[in-house]
Each structure stands twice: as structure tokens, then as C-alpha cells.
Amino acid sequence: MKPGWANGGSSFWPMGQRSPWTPSSRITVRLTGSRRAVELASGQAFFDVEGDPARPFVVRAGATEVTAVGTRFDVRRAGGGAQVTLVEGKVDVVDRGQATPRWSLAPGQQIVTASPRPAVRSVDAASETSWTSGRLIFAGDTVEAAVAEVNRYTASKVVLDAPAIADIAVSGAFNTGDVEGFVSALTELYPVVANRTASGQIVIRDAPAKNASVR
């Protein structure tokens, strides 16, 4: 195990694979003489794979299968498939549940196979994979989406009960697990209050005045 992945895990596997993963991830690895295979049952993992044409590296996430020879890419379970982001190299993505089930990604591209009409799109790969270095970067994400992302890395869940700010686009950077910092930023910027429940959840609600504290 390699330390330093905030609130997650990382391991070095035989034959040159490195994979940090999120806390909710469930991963199964099978290595044979002709194939390096990973089953991502839940969560998200980043793969840094050494090239070996004789032994392709295959990640399966639901109905989605990602094949790489030598590359760096991120896979997140999404619905019955996956969100795949390519940082370096090339990957082929196949999804058994789609009418057009095959895509090839170039660096800086992403596909979400669980979408009704999956399409390859360009993304900021550094932002999309910032979690691997213990950071969460938001650039135009809605508050609702940002809360969901923050909750992936902490046991103290944030509950957003503030419809007035849910769809507002926000930008910023936080350490994974820094729930207090994230909540404080919201209460300083918007007319909401944050209260901690007996179970440890932090509930954000609409309020007529700003309140920067978490009680």
C-alpha cells in the first residue's frame, strides 16, 4: 500500500499497474498470462498502466469494458455502466447495453456510458482526476453536484436542503475530506445556515441571513 491518498486507498500491483481508489470502491483483480483484468463493482479508481500488448489491461464496470495497453485513465461507476476519462495514451470502451457500443478515447476525452445517448466529450482531465492527489476541483459545477462529490470522500455527509442555491454554478478547490471548509465556503457566500445533526450529518438550509458557522 502507498500512503498519501486522502480518505482513499492506493496499491501497486504486479506487472506495473498503480491504482488509487475512492473509499466506496469495491475492486477485484485477476491476473493471468494473457490478460490483466479488474472488476470495479462500485466507486472510482485511477489506473496507471505499463504497456504490454501481449497482456491487455481490462477494466469492467457493469456493462462497460475499458481496454488499454499502456495508459493513464480514470473509471467511475455510473448507473449500469461507467464514466471513463483518459489522461494519457489510448483506451477502447465497449458497453453491452448501448446500440452503438464502442468508442475510442484520446487524452482529455471522457465518455459516460450510462447516458441515454453516450457521446465522447472533451474535459479538463487534471480537474477530473484531482481526487487522486487529495484535491477536489470544481469549475462551473452546481452546488448540488459539488455536495454529491464531497460526500464521496467523507463519513460526515452533507445534506443539501437549500433549493435556492442547488443549481448555482460554483468554482473552487478543497482537500478531500475537508467538509468543514466546504460548508463554511457555502455559508459565507450564500444565504444559508448549516447545522450538525445528532447522527453527524451537516444539513444546509435556506436562511434569510448568512451564517458562516457549523454547529
Side-chain angles (χ1 to χ4, degrees), residues 10 18 21 56 63 65 72 76 101 147 162 168 175 206:
S10 177
R18 179 176 64 80
W21 60 81
E65 192 171 275
R72 300 171 65 229
R76 174 188 290 193
V147 168
I168 294 176
N175 292 329
D206 293 325

Side-chain angles (χ1 to χ4, degrees), residues 28-83:
T28 302
V29 181
R30 294 182 178 86
L31 304 176
T32 68
S34 60
R35 183 181 172 97
R36 297 169 289 175
V38 175
E39 179 83 19
L40 181 63
S42 64
Q44 182 175 8
F46 183 88
F47 301 95
D48 188 345
V49 184
E50 288 187 1
D52 186 352
R55 300 180 67 225
F57 187 87
V58 181
V59 179
R60 178 169 291 175
T64 301
E65 192 171 275
V66 185
T67 303
V69 175
T71 187
R72 300 171 65 229
F73 63 102
D74 182 271
V75 181
R76 174 188 290 193
R77 278 303 303 264
Q83 172 186 287

